[in-house]
Amino acid sequence: MKRFTSLFFKKQILHQLSILMGVFLLTSCQMINTENDMDLKKISLNNHWEFKQTDKKEWLPAEVPGTVHTDLISNNIILDPYYRLNERDVQWVDKVDWEYKTKFTIDQKIFEHQKIQLHFDGVDTYGEIYINNILIGSTDNMFREWDFDIKPHIHKGENTLKVVLLSPIENGINALKKHGYGLPAINDQSVIGEVGNQQVSIFTRKAGYHYGWDWGPRLVTSGIWRDVNIEYWNNTKIDNIFVQQKTSSDKAALKVSTQFYNQSENELTILAKLDGEVIKESTIASNSLSKTISFDIENPKLWWPANIGTPHLYELSIELYDDKQLIDVHTERIGLRTIKIVQKEDDNGEGKSFYFEVNGQPIFAKGANYIPNDIFLPRVSKATYKHLIQSTLDANMNMLRVWGGGIYENDLFYELCDEKGILVWQDFMFACSMYPGDEQFINNVRQEAVDNIKRLRNHASIALWCGNNEMEMAWAPGKDDMGWGWKQQYSKTQQKEIWGDYEKVFHQLLPEVVEEYTDNQFYWRSSPTGGDDIVAHYEHKSGDMHYWGVWHGEHPFSDFRKYIGRFMSEYGFQSFPEFKSVKKYTKPQDYDIESEVMASHQRSGIGNLRIKKYMEDHYQVPTNFEDFLYVGQLLQAESIYSAIQAHREKMPYCMGSLYWQLNDCWPVASWSSIDYYGEWKALQYFAREANKNTSLIVNSDDHQLEVKVASDINLQEPVLLQMELQDFEGNSLWNQSIPLKDITANKTLKVFESNLSKIISKNDSQKLVFISSLSSKKTEIIDRDLHYFVNQKELQLPKPELDINYTEDDNDLYISISTNALVKNLFIEVDQEQIKLSDNYFDLIKGEQKQITITSRKGEKIDRTKIKFKHLQETMKKKSL
Ligand code: BMA
């Protein structure tokens, strides 16, 4: 195998070093570096941009990658649209055209290359590309990558690149006129966009949420939103690689196909390396455009989802040589695993299972739906991505659904998911609307799908491709009594046309592309769907389910236990951000959820109504604004905690629970568990509890109490269930312990049940807490649960006195807390940015000592004077403002 001489390998190292140096030099200025002798070279064109409104004269400094809006903000032309009502003042931005320009220098050496190509990782959206003032091409899809051969248009010396970004709204309006009639686009806030009822989002291949959503503002961006560079090479370069695997615990058989641009007359050499070691070498015939090499990895280290095993990654490099000269190298981190979606007919014939099986093991999917982190995507930092994916892992999740109204995320997102063992349910970018299906649109979507599948298919985390969000359910083809009333608004001919267009994309095009370009990855036509001919509703027994009875349908929280499908891919409940976040986008006169500013940062028409109604049912509704925000977060946390538990309780019938939604794209009241500023809401802490690998589930009604244990893993050793009834002053009123065996994966076992009166006896249920814990010798506490017998508003809570002590070291602040009586939902509010607490919003009983660590994500010192404590009891005092 290792036929190359050691001299050759020394040369390779020099090559690699020079590549690294080259990249460094090239990104630091827009001058060309020709020092390294690898054949393919790149110049980043991310620097020295200027922009202007097309019909204005003055050029201003601009950022690439960037957006028009953020450039206008940095040049003090518009104010931050996220602050108070500023969004309303910037609606003109999407109705005019913009120009961006930069310069680059081509020296003799570069000029001599056979191929010189301009490459955009992304253009948002309608771009006209000019080199030296000559139009060389155009773009019309934010999700695609764009290549332009610029060799014929450039000269030695200085050249110019200009990108004209045409108004997405003007383009949309023209497309709407051409189409002849409008299409459903319920989240398109055209009125806020000052274009009346002209909902045009569906005509443009651009992130749907830019046009508004029920958690998002209306800010229709334009911009060169991802990297732009010039690539130049002679003869050959790697286009992409496609890794296929047949993996089992003792062997992974890999087939790596490499596609090239190749005009070389020579026979080339291709080398595959795994973790730096040469694993296979082969030759490529002259002019050949692809090469597949196969090799086996014995006893592979498998990639496992988080908490089930280690998500091991191997580094695979493909190197290309022409006569021992390194021409190009492509490196990816890959995971060896199998992922299947199992849909097996139930024994009673009523439905089919729907679960993910990784390496042959069924996995209960725990997680959330994920939306883009900002309207202005290029400014989302690496730190934000890292924080979100780490928070996903920290909340004991193993799956995120990249939802179809946003974007195919940046590489970094998937790299982090690979690393942390987070499975990705990947939607194609279509949501809550119906789209056109003319030839141009279809071709555009095909290329979009190909580009993104090629970019993402080798990621270990990609588990499923899904056609769209909620479109099948909303249209409900052939079912007159189902759907969202969309089809009824159209003539029979139009209905046929709209559904025909739907079928072209979601039943033909996308499954075909997934089949052709992936390693047998699974395609699911819409979320939710019952599969076969079943349109999703709240009681279907196959496929995935979005259950919105709680919230949209005003069902009580207890209905989370009633409506459970095979895989819950959406359900949710809103809350406001915490007060410290609200302060960032408001002024004190806005501190009322019905104020104009707060209402503008609440985009669900029924949002405040629902929060208030459910709060009245469960809590004493505080009149104080700050308290209302806090109790609202508890309400959301309680609701989703109970839903996660209900879904896990139904395991293995139900094998997935992804709540709506993990994150926010601006500061707003929404269903998120992490706010725009990265602060964990109460829900994020509660989800962490509910998602533990082994979890106690305690339920009671007026007569009965049940304790169950849900587990995603096999527990190797016996465990002890300890249960105790206490009053709020810490007096023990009843207790029992039960040793447990046979806690096995993907099962929920009932481990205790009793007539309630036997436990509560004559005690007042409003003053009681049922404490259960599960412990093993090895792990000590596996899980612990505090269960109350009445709603929070009926609890007769004591007035606790807290004993709080602080210690600190260089980075962290430690708080030790104890109490003389039960304290409910203690909220440690730290009025400092980017803070991480080891726990928050927890209940504490007498006799416990709680240790909290507070860390700054920015590495700052924690300022003790900025810490406040709030608990539920305080909000229950009938105080008026
Ligand atoms: C779900 C999502 C989103 C929406 C959310 C809340 O159906 O797919 O479209 O934001 O509900 O209404």
Side-chain angles (χ1 to χ4, degrees):
M1 159 95 36
K2 293 187 181 171
R3 281 197 287 118
F4 290 92
T5 60
S6 61
L7 183 69
F8 176 52
F9 278 102
K10 272 185 204 145
K11 196 168 174 211
Q12 272 190 62
I13 293 166
L14 284 174
H15 278 309
Q16 312 268 7
L17 273 175
S18 62
I19 295 161
L20 279 174
M21 283 170 60
V23 168
F24 173 73
L25 288 171
L26 291 175
T27 47
S28 58
C29 70
Q30 220 140 276
M31 295 299 293
I32 305 320
N33 166 46
T34 50
E35 291 312 303
N36 80 64
D37 54 357
M38 189 172 79
D39 216 36
L40 169 74
K41 299 176 192 79
K42 269 189 189 184
I43 314 164
S44 166
L45 293 190
N46 286 353
N47 304 303
H48 312 306
W49 285 83
E50 290 181 303
F51 86 122
K52 71 174 185 74
Q53 198 175 316
T54 295
D55 52 9
K56 295 255 163 73
K57 290 229 155 50
E58 196 192 354
W59 289 92
L60 296 162
E63 290 276 326
V64 168
T67 68
V68 169
H69 286 85
T70 38
D71 286 332
L72 291 171
I73 298 170
S74 346
N75 285 285
N76 297 319
I77 294 170
I78 62 170
L79 295 172
D80 172 12
Y82 291 181
Y83 186 68
R84 300 193 80 225
L85 301 171
N86 290 349
E87 172 202 3
R88 296 180 186 171
D89 300 332
V90 300
Q91 293 305 321
W92 59 274
V93 176
D94 57 29
K95 295 177 193 65
V96 295
D97 301 337
W98 299 90
E99 286 179 29
Y100 279 70
K101 68 170 188 188
T102 189
K103 289 182 189 145
F104 57 94
T105 309
I106 297 286
D107 66 16
Q108 177 66 27
K109 270 193 185 162
I110 296 169
F111 199 68
E112 281 163 8
H113 282 75
Q114 263 177 11
K115 280 275 181 194
I116 306 178
Q117 179 173 282
L118 176 64
H119 176 86
F120 291 91
D121 279 345
V123 178
D124 174 15
T125 291
Y126 295 107
E128 289 175 343
I129 316 299
Y130 293 82
I131 293 282
N132 297 326
N133 286 322
I134 296 176
L135 180 66
I136 59 150
S138 60
T139 66
D140 61 358
N141 186 331
M142 173 185 180
F143 306 123
R144 282 173 57 182
E145 293 175 34
W146 300 92
D147 287 323
F148 301 100
D149 177 10
I150 54 169
K151 172 105 181 169
H153 309 291
I154 52 172
H155 43 250
K156 273 175 278 171
E158 195 173 85
N159 293 268
T160 62
L161 166 62
K162 184 170 78 179
V163 179
V164 176
L165 295 166
L166 302 169
S167 155
I169 296 301
E170 290 306 315
N171 260 280
I173 289 173
N174 291 338
L176 171 62
K177 281 191 192 131
K178 209 165 133 204
H179 192 257
Y181 58 89
L183 290 167
I186 49 165
N187 291 291
D188 183 326
Q189 298 165 5
S190 55
V191 173
I192 295 180
E194 297 164 6
V195 287
N197 61 2
Q198 300 179 101
Q199 295 182 311
V200 298
S201 49
I202 51 253
F203 297 107
T204 297
R205 293 309 298 145
K206 168 172 171 61
Y209 79 108
H210 284 164
Y211 296 80
W213 215 268
D214 57 1
W215 37 258
R218 165 89 174 192
L219 292 163
V220 188
T221 57
S222 288
I224 303 167
W225 75 292
R226 282 181 167 157
D227 290 339
V228 46
N229 53 55
I230 289 177
E231 291 178 355
Y232 53 100
W233 70 94
N234 288 318
N235 295 324
T236 312
K237 95 174 174 102
I238 296 175
D239 176 25
N240 73 91
I241 68 170
F242 177 25
V243 183
Q244 290 167 279
Q245 52 174 296
K246 281 207 170 33
T247 294
S248 68
S249 52
D250 37 67
K251 192 168 97 182
L254 267 82
K255 231 167 87 177
V256 182
S257 308
T258 307
Q259 264 84 45
F260 324 97
Y261 296 100
N262 191 8
Q263 293 178 343
S264 174
E265 298 298 324
N266 300 346
E267 189 185 79
L268 304 176
T269 303
I270 187 166
L271 211 65
K273 284 184 177 171
L274 203 66
D275 290 341
E277 293 286 319
V278 178
I279 194 156
K280 185 95 181 195
E281 179 208 323
S282 192
T283 50
I284 304 165
S286 64
N287 288 316
S288 164
L289 295 180
S290 79
K291 176 77 188 180
T292 301
I293 46 180
S294 303
F295 53 89
D296 293 345
I297 302 172
E298 304 294 335
N299 302 316
K301 286 187 189 155
L302 299 183
W303 184 91
W304 285 98
N307 294 319
I308 302 294
T310 309
H312 184 82
L313 295 173
Y314 288 90
E315 188 179 274
L316 173 71
S317 301
I318 297 296
E319 296 179 352
L320 206 59
Y321 294 89
D322 184 355
D323 193 22
K324 300 186 180 172
Q325 148 101 29
L326 179 65
I327 315 175
D328 199 0
V329 53
H330 187 111
T331 301
E332 302 210 354
R333 295 220 286 165
I334 58 162
L336 303 177
R337 88 288 183 255
T338 59
I339 302 183
K340 272 197 212 146
I341 283 74
V342 181
Q343 295 182 84
K344 214 172 107 215
E345 189 101 24
D346 293 332
D347 289 344
N348 61 13
E350 278 193 354
K352 279 187 200 163
S353 65
F354 188 98
Y355 64 88
F356 290 80
E357 201 182 74
V358 181
N359 302 326
Q361 190 170 313
I363 302 289
F364 188 98
K366 298 177 290 192
N369 285 267
Y370 171 92
I371 64 164
N373 288 307
D374 208 316
I375 288 284
F376 309 121
L377 291 156
R379 73 179 182 185
V380 180
S381 67
K382 275 190 184 160
T384 298
Y385 279 107
K386 285 187 178 164
H387 173 56
L388 276 167
I389 304 303
Q390 186 61 46
S391 298
T392 303
L393 183 69
D394 290 346
N396 294 316
M397 296 176 177
N398 57 23
M399 183 177 281
L400 288 177
R401 170 172 174 241
V402 178
W403 162 84
I407 56 163
Y408 307 92
E409 263 298 346
N410 290 355
D411 294 343
L412 178 63
F413 172 88
Y414 302 95
E415 284 160 14
L416 291 166
C417 289
D418 292 347
E419 244 170 57
K420 306 286 180 199
I422 307 298
L423 294 159
V424 174
W425 170 308
Q426 178 67 49
D427 281 4
F428 286 97
M429 292 304 124
F430 301 89
C432 300
S433 310
M434 298 304 276
Y435 295 80
D438 55 84
E439 206 187 326
Q440 197 190 345
F441 187 86
I442 296 283
N443 290 338
N444 201 355
V445 169
R446 171 181 290 278
Q447 199 50 50
E448 162 190 329
V450 171
D451 281 5
N452 285 287
I453 288 175
K454 279 185 171 176
R455 182 168 68 89
L456 305 179
R457 63 186 167 189
N458 297 335
H459 285 280
S461 53
I462 293 276
L464 170 152
W465 295 91
C466 173
N468 65 68
N469 178 68
E470 294 184 342
M471 289 166 55
E472 179 182 294
M473 178 173 78
W475 188 263
K479 318 265 179 201
D480 290 339
D481 54 339
M482 292 173 81
W484 297 354
W486 289 2
K487 53 184 179 290
Q488 288 80 352
Q489 296 163 23
Y490 294 92
S491 70
K492 286 281 172 234
T493 319
Q494 287 171 336
Q495 286 186 23
K496 225 173 132 197
E497 186 173 74
I498 296 170
W499 186 250
D501 286 345
Y502 177 99
E503 286 186 317
K504 273 192 247 169
V505 177
F506 303 105
H507 294 179
Q508 289 157 31
L509 172 70
L510 293 177
E512 269 168 31
V513 180
V514 171
E515 196 185 331
E516 187 180 340
Y517 289 92
T518 72
D519 185 15
N520 283 318
Q521 285 174 350
F522 184 81
Y523 175 78
W524 188 238
R525 65 188 190 221
S526 183
S527 181
T529 173
D532 301 323
D533 58 354
I534 304 166
V535 171
H537 48 100
Y538 290 162
E539 288 180 63
H540 61 285
K541 295 183 163 52
S542 307
D544 68 325
M545 183 185 286
H546 292 190
Y547 173 62
W548 284 99
V550 173
W551 185 263
H552 286 294
E554 287 184 83
H555 296 182
F557 288 171
S558 54
D559 275 10
F560 277 129
R561 295 186 79 202
K562 240 194 208 162
Y563 298 97
I564 301 178
R566 312 311 292 254
F567 190 101
M568 304 301 287
S569 39
E570 269 191 30
Y571 58 92
F573 197 90
Q574 270 202 357
S575 72
F576 291 91
E578 64 173 278
F579 186 52
K580 104 171 156 191
S581 296
V582 169
K583 282 194 288 188
K584 293 189 180 171
Y585 62 93
T586 56
K587 282 186 173 172
Q589 65 258 40
D590 308 324
Y591 296 168
D592 175 338
I593 63 160
E594 303 299 348
S595 70
E596 201 181 358
V597 169
M598 286 300 288
S600 176
H601 290 251
Q602 161 59 285
R603 304 311 267 253
S604 164
I606 54 168
N608 287 357
L609 270 179
R610 286 288 184 281
I611 293 175
K612 278 195 241 166
K613 164 78 179 57
Y614 282 99
M615 201 186 283
E616 276 161 17
D617 291 346
H618 291 261
Y619 288 84
Q620 287 183 24
V621 181
T623 46
N624 170 297
F625 178 68
E626 265 191 76
D627 288 354
F628 188 93
L629 303 182
Y630 156 74
V631 173
Q633 287 212 3
L634 299 182
L635 180 72
Q636 177 196 32
E638 177 205 348
S639 120
I640 301 308
Y641 180 84
S642 72
I644 298 172
Q645 288 211 326
H647 302 153
R648 293 190 75 191
E649 201 183 336
K650 269 284 205 167
M651 185 162 61
Y653 178 86
C654 173
M655 283 297 280
S657 183
L658 313 180
Y659 64 78
W660 183 267
Q661 69 203 70
L662 183 75
N663 54 333
D664 277 329
C665 68
W666 80 314
V668 67
S670 85
W671 297 263
S672 71
S673 54
I674 303 178
D675 75 20
Y676 173 66
Y677 305 106
E679 308 296 347
W680 282 28
K681 293 181 174 178
L683 170 57
Q684 189 72 13
Y685 295 94
F686 276 52
R688 180 174 69 183
E689 284 298 304
N691 283 329
K692 277 185 180 160
N693 265 358
T694 304
S695 232
L696 281 162
I697 300 174
V698 182
N699 284 303
S700 66
D701 58 19
D702 291 346
H703 313 287
Q704 198 75 5
L705 178 132
E706 276 182 3
V707 180
K708 291 181 178 170
V709 178
S711 191
D712 299 337
I713 51 169
N714 297 325
L715 292 190
Q716 304 302 344
E717 48 170 354
V719 289
L720 186 68
L721 169 68
Q722 287 172 295
M723 299 169 288
E724 184 181 10
L725 184 76
Q726 279 190 11
D727 64 20
F728 295 154
E729 278 70 38
N731 299 307
S732 184
L733 307 170
W734 174 96
N735 68 67
Q736 193 171 328
S737 296
I738 306 175
L740 302 176
K741 280 194 303 216
D742 300 328
I743 306 288
T744 51
N746 300 318
K747 272 207 197 92
T748 299
L749 277 184
K750 191 192 285 178
V751 290
F752 177 73
E753 96 184 295
S754 165
N755 195 306
L756 195 60
S757 60
K758 276 199 191 154
I759 300 172
I760 291 193
S761 184
K762 297 220 157 33
N763 295 297
D764 181 350
S765 62
Q766 296 181 319
K767 295 180 176 167
L768 298 174
V769 54
F770 182 84
I771 306 155
S772 46
S773 70
L774 206 57
S775 53
S776 73
K777 275 199 200 117
K778 212 167 71 193
T779 350
E780 295 183 351
I781 300 288
I782 296 171
D783 193 25
R784 183 166 176 277
D785 180 274
L786 299 189
H787 176 81
Y788 301 86
F789 299 95
V790 295
N791 267 336
Q792 288 80 345
K793 68 175 176 186
E794 287 147 15
L795 288 171
Q796 298 277 323
L797 292 169
K799 206 174 161 205
E801 270 170 34
L802 299 181
D803 185 13
I804 299 171
N805 291 295
Y806 298 91
T807 47
E808 60 193 316
D809 60 23
D810 287 351
N811 299 313
D812 298 340
L813 183 73
Y814 306 96
I815 314 183
S816 164
I817 311 165
S818 59
T819 174
N820 67 348
L822 181 121
V823 56
K824 187 102 189 64
N825 300 117
L826 185 65
F827 171 35
I828 307 169
E829 188 183 0
V830 190
D831 198 2
Q832 201 175 323
E833 277 193 349
Q834 302 194 19
I835 293 302
K836 202 174 162 186
L837 289 107
S838 58
D839 204 359
N840 213 344
Y841 304 93
F842 50 84
D843 296 353
L844 195 62
I845 56 172
K846 185 179 170 184
E848 269 184 329
Q849 188 87 30
K850 183 90 180 176
Q851 308 292 344
I852 299 291
T853 307
I854 309 183
T855 319
S856 157
R857 290 195 277 120
K858 288 164 110 183
E860 289 171 355
K861 212 168 165 56
I862 307 296
D863 182 350
R864 259 193 234 187
T865 63
K866 299 230 166 112
I867 299 180
K868 281 200 302 190
F869 296 86
K870 190 192 286 295
H871 52 72
L872 188 65
Q873 282 96 317
E874 291 170 312
T875 71
M876 292 169 86
K877 282 182 237 152
K878 302 265 183 230
K879 56 181 174 191
S880 60
L881 270 183

